[in-house]
Amino acid sequence: MRITLHGHRMSQPSRAVELLLLINDIGHTFNTVDFVNGETRTKQYIETVNANGKIPVLQDGDFKLLESHAMMRYLSRKFELKQWYGSDLKEKAVIDQWLDWHHLNTRTYSSDMLHAIAILNFVPMMLKIEVKTLQIEELNRKLRMSLSVLDKQLENKKFIAGNTATIVDLSIGCELYQLKCYEYNFSEFKNIDNWLNNLEKLPKWTEAHEVVIGAAKQFLSNEKNTSVMATVSSFVQSKV
Ligand SMILES: N[C@@H](CCC(=O)N[C@@H](CS)C(=O)NCC(=O)O)C(=O)O
């Protein structure tokens, strides 16, 4: 039975699961759910697809699975992708540790910050300053605390759990790479910077990120937004 992934390429967890499928040449159908325009919040979606109103959702025949990390573990086990989910108890445990860590660290701050940045496109000038000072700077402070922990883990390693990429690199990588597309400044975190360059070299990485790269380019083509990103990165308070 063919696997179906319900998701969207603007969604970090959707991209992570899709990349695992694409890189390993696992036949699947990608069903785009228009979450950007609220499809995930419709009664129909909540009642029939995901009670949490979220993407991604993985369907394998009659079996339906929620939560991107559970999906990547399931696919790794089902298709025996040893490289992607470790080959022994301890390797798997380290991957699990960083997957769990991600949800309350890089995921929380990075995606909230990206939403706050995206909102800048739509708010009037006076409110831009409030969004920036009240929201973005605080999220940025917390994000940088998480980044410094991750940066230490990546010392002398190409990837988070060792020298080959695993599902945790796909998960955290898809989250942070989108910030790189928005020209977030990672220069203070040399190991993360190198790791993001390594991820870019993975097969299918750029293909899966095309939509994000396009959205970021459009955002940055507005000069006012570029100056906001420079401010976010340097922690310097400037006029929007
Ligand atoms: N913990 C979930 C997170 C899923 C999630 O946050 N999905 C977002 C897109 S990135 C979503 O579906 N948002 C739709 C909405 O809030 O209406 C996972 O890893 O699968």
Side-chain angles (χ1 to χ4, degrees):
M1 189 72 74
R2 200 171 164 85
I3 284 173
T4 301
L5 179 64
H6 305 272
H8 193 291
R9 281 193 166 173
M10 281 297 281
S11 146
Q12 168 270 324
S14 300
R15 287 196 304 280
V17 179
E18 190 194 4
L19 270 165
L20 188 67
L21 291 164
L22 288 174
I23 297 174
N24 291 288
D25 219 4
I26 298 169
H28 66 282
T29 302
F30 189 91
N31 172 41
T32 301
V33 177
D34 188 8
F35 85 120
V36 180
N37 290 306
E39 190 178 339
T40 40
R41 298 189 182 193
T42 60
K43 194 165 178 272
Q44 148 101 6
Y45 187 86
I46 291 170
E47 282 179 359
T48 62
V49 187
N50 182 351
N52 298 308
K54 302 279 181 206
I55 46 167
V57 172
L58 187 84
Q59 196 109 35
D60 185 6
D62 292 340
F63 180 63
K64 190 168 76 179
L65 196 59
L66 312 179
E67 292 298 327
S68 61
H69 293 171
M71 293 172 208
M72 291 195 286
R73 290 189 188 102
Y74 172 76
L75 293 169
S76 301
R77 289 181 182 122
K78 174 166 174 144
F79 296 100
E80 296 180 15
L81 311 176
K82 290 211 169 73
Q83 180 205 320
W84 291 93
Y85 188 33
S87 49
D88 69 27
L89 185 67
K90 287 187 181 158
E91 275 176 28
K92 284 188 202 310
V94 171
I95 293 167
D96 284 340
Q97 174 193 310
W98 287 97
L99 283 172
D100 288 354
W101 176 86
H102 172 54
H103 264 139
L104 280 181
N105 288 276
T106 28
R107 169 77 183 156
T108 309
Y109 306 130
S110 157
S111 73
D112 283 358
M113 195 168 85
L114 207 59
H115 290 162
I117 289 166
I119 287 168
L120 291 173
N121 262 325
F122 307 106
V123 296
M125 190 64 87
M126 186 266 289
L127 289 180
K128 272 189 204 297
I129 295 167
E130 287 174 26
V131 171
K132 186 162 73 67
T133 52
L134 295 179
Q135 268 188 280
I136 299 179
E137 291 192 0
E138 178 58 6
L139 288 167
N140 195 38
R141 189 184 64 76
K142 290 178 175 158
L143 175 64
R144 289 180 103 75
M145 282 161 63
S146 298
L147 293 179
S148 60
V149 174
L150 182 63
D151 199 63
K152 273 201 195 90
Q153 171 67 12
L154 282 162
E155 188 82 51
N156 300 322
K157 277 190 219 78
K158 270 179 85 178
F159 294 101
I160 295 173
N163 280 322
T164 54
T166 68
I167 55 176
V168 73
D169 296 288
L170 298 182
S171 182
I172 305 183
C174 286
E175 191 77 56
L176 296 183
Y177 186 75
Q178 62 191 16
L179 278 183
K180 180 181 159 128
C181 296
Y182 281 77
E183 296 184 358
Y184 184 84
N185 186 357
F186 285 101
S187 61
E188 194 190 311
F189 305 104
K190 292 278 175 253
N191 301 320
I192 292 180
D193 214 22
N194 290 337
W195 166 71
L196 288 170
N197 291 334
N198 291 333
L199 289 174
E200 237 170 11
K201 293 180 201 135
L202 290 177
K204 310 285 183 185
W205 186 269
T206 309
E207 181 187 324
H209 283 86
E210 262 162 15
V211 179
V212 173
I213 293 167
K217 271 200 186 124
Q218 201 188 351
F219 179 83
L220 294 171
S221 65
N222 178 339
E223 240 174 72
K224 284 180 191 136
N225 292 334
T226 321
S227 96
V228 169
M229 283 316 289
T231 306
V232 166
S233 297
S234 64
F235 248 9
V236 176
Q237 187 101 355
S238 71
K239 290 201 177 80
V240 202

